[in-house]
Amino acid sequence: LDDCFTGPGAPGGNATVVLTDPAADYAVTVRAPAPPVRAFQVYAPVNEAFVVIEPQTNLADPYGEQWPPNLDTGMARIAPGTTFVYRADVRAGRAT
């Protein structure tokens, strides 16, 4: 799995993803302010024991031809000498 999930729910103004392993009764929740976060990239390599969940401000391949010409794909434009900051909250524990 190496996919970008767009339009995450934003309860309380946060984009939120919950990854649950019912067999282990374990869950990881990732929350980030929305906007600017508009998507999550999820990577889970075959035969590996980890998953990566990345909150992102932009859609996958934001300059790609698959997007309509006027769609805001979320790329943050940062002027020279300025910064762009957002935070993410990661919590893990029992799923139940």
Side-chain angles (χ1 to χ4, degrees):
L1 177 70
D2 188 5
D3 291 306
C4 183
F5 294 89
T6 62
N14 289 306
T16 304
V17 168
V18 180
L19 176 67
T20 304
D21 180 347
D25 189 30
Y26 193 77
V28 174
T29 301
V30 180
R31 288 187 183 93
V37 170
R38 306 166 42 126
F40 285 90
Q41 186 74 26
V42 180
Y43 176 62
V46 177
N47 300 322
E48 297 288 344
F50 67 87
V51 175
V52 178
I53 303 171
E54 302 173 78
Q56 298 191 347
T57 63
N58 58 280
L59 306 179
D61 190 13
Y63 298 115
E65 294 178 4
Q66 70 273 22
W67 305 116
N70 296 325
L71 180 68
D72 176 8
T73 58
M75 287 300 295
R77 289 179 166 61
I78 305 168
T82 65
T83 60
F84 177 82
V85 178
Y86 72 92
R87 53 168 252 213
D89 179 59
V90 179
R91 297 181 188 242
R94 292 187 61 183
T96 56

